[in-house]
Amino acid sequence: MLELRLVQGSLLKKVLESIKELVTDANFDCSSTGFSLQAMDSSHVALVALLLRSEGFEHYRCDRNMSMGMNLNNMAKMLKCAGNDDIITIKADDGGDTVTFMFESPTQDKISDFEMKLMDIDSEHLGIPEAEYHAIVKMPSSEFARICRDLSSIGDTVVISVTKEGVKFSTKGDIGSANIVCRQNTSVDKPEEATVIDMNEPVSLTFALRYMNSFTKATPLSNTVSISLSNELPVVVEYKIAEMGYVRFYLAPKIEE
Amino acid sequence: LKAQARIARYFGSC
């Protein structure tokens, strides 16, 4: 038996909106640690890892580890029917082939349940090694989204370079080229508006902008984003989910053939 | 010219 009650149901709505473009079908894993997911996009170029820790739920019952295969588009369709202020409860029976999403309005005057069919998904689980990154950039998530959107109107790829001068996002296309440099800026009024660059070694990597733009669908989840870079490693673009966990996107770089 | 690497190049199955 599984029963997870999330008072801030809008978080789950936002999580689905952030990953459904990248991943079609995925197994949600439920254990005493929390509600998690790991899945690759269909081209096996990007990977998404989600964790919603059990402590973040008002009620968390998971009698035994369960893996539930869901079509994310269908799940998103159901969660769209929940109000932004609704409490969402996820329920499933051991060995069952459905999951139920229950939505309660804040005043308890409307209670809905939506039952969705589960599916068998044969997906491989990847081991993500602990890595020391050469550089970690923390910046406002809206700023990062703006940069990715702006650059994708000029080119298809972005070169992200971190030096002691700052972080540079560059692109080139048929009509010309563009460079955007963000300097470390910690003297802002609010910490979430700061750009913080933690660099051990200079790093420069090239990525497909199409994927970066897809990751920025997670912007509503967090005011800040952290971008961890090492030469010859996938970049990690992380959006922390307040009090609960994170959505991390890993993207393999473009490399010399 | 650069080619797009895949995730499997860096992370193995577990």
Side-chain angles (χ1 to χ4, degrees):
Chain A
M1 169 94 186
L2 174 148
E3 202 169 276
L4 320 179
R5 183 176 156 94
L6 182 62
V7 173
Q8 210 182 334
S10 60
L11 282 183
L12 193 63
K13 286 163 70 82
K14 289 176 189 169
V15 164
L16 258 289
E17 289 308 308
S18 75
I19 59 177
K20 68 167 193 191
E21 188 181 278
L22 199 64
V23 176
T24 313
D25 302 318
N27 283 316
F28 279 87
D29 297 312
C30 198
S31 72
S32 55
T33 312
F35 194 58
S36 65
L37 167 151
Q38 189 203 81
M40 278 191 278
D41 79 296
S42 59
S43 315
H44 291 199
V45 166
L47 180 141
V48 52
L50 161 74
L51 175 65
L52 299 174
R53 288 186 199 94
S54 51
E55 304 87 74
F57 291 82
E58 191 214 28
H59 170 71
Y60 192 93
R61 177 178 171 187
C62 174
D63 295 344
R64 56 177 188 166
N65 292 358
M66 266 177 95
S67 187
M68 297 184 289
M70 303 194 207
N71 173 285
L72 298 191
N73 239 324
N74 292 346
M75 187 178 172
K77 275 184 198 168
M78 294 206 166
L79 294 181
K80 269 194 176 162
C81 302
N84 278 330
D85 301 327
D86 281 2
I87 298 164
I88 299 181
T89 303
I90 304 169
K91 290 186 197 179
D93 290 322
D94 293 340
D97 57 1
T98 61
V99 59
T100 299
F101 302 107
M102 188 174 92
F103 312 140
E104 295 167 68
S105 66
T107 48
Q108 304 282 315
D109 51 4
K110 181 180 170 190
I111 295 169
S112 325
D113 61 85
F114 288 70
E115 189 182 77
M116 190 177 82
K117 292 173 188 158
L118 295 175
M119 55 198 291
D120 284 324
I121 300 167
D122 195 17
S123 72
E124 59 177 330
H125 206 83
L126 299 180
I128 301 169
E130 283 289 316
E132 282 277 322
Y133 284 90
H134 291 158
I136 301 175
V137 177
K138 193 181 131 240
M139 64 192 297
S141 57
S142 56
E143 185 60 55
F144 178 63
R146 173 77 196 264
I147 290 168
C148 292
R149 193 187 71 205
D150 288 350
L151 294 185
S152 61
S153 65
I154 315 289
D156 296 330
T157 61
V158 57
V159 181
I160 306 180
S161 311
V162 185
T163 63
K164 59 182 189 326
E165 307 301 321
V167 54
K168 183 167 80 169
F169 302 88
S170 310
T171 195
K172 270 187 195 151
D174 293 341
I175 63 165
S177 62
N179 295 293
I180 299 170
V181 178
C182 298
R183 292 215 173 90
Q184 174 147 292
N185 169 22
T186 48
S187 61
V188 286
D189 292 342
K190 299 175 190 162
E192 63 265 29
E193 289 170 2
T195 297
V196 182
I197 298 167
D198 180 5
M199 188 197 79
N200 297 319
E201 272 182 56
V203 54
S204 183
L205 287 159
T206 306
F207 300 101
L209 272 168
R210 181 166 73 85
Y211 289 98
M212 286 289 178
N213 267 312
S214 175
F215 303 164
T216 63
K217 301 272 186 238
T219 304
L221 280 169
S222 179
N223 288 325
T224 60
V225 62
S226 84
I227 305 157
S228 302
L229 299 139
S230 269
N231 288 316
E232 290 292 305
L233 264 186
V235 62
V236 191
V237 179
E238 181 183 70
Y239 295 86
K240 285 215 188 317
I241 303 170
E243 322 282 304
M244 289 211 78
Y246 54 77
V247 181
R248 289 180 186 150
F249 299 100
Y250 296 83
L251 177 62
K254 296 218 167 211
I255 52 173
E256 301 293 342
E257 266 189 310
Chain B
L1 212 69
K2 290 191 169 186
Q4 176 64 60
R6 288 183 166 209
I7 286 288
R9 182 186 168 97
Y10 310 93
F11 303 156
S13 290
C14 69

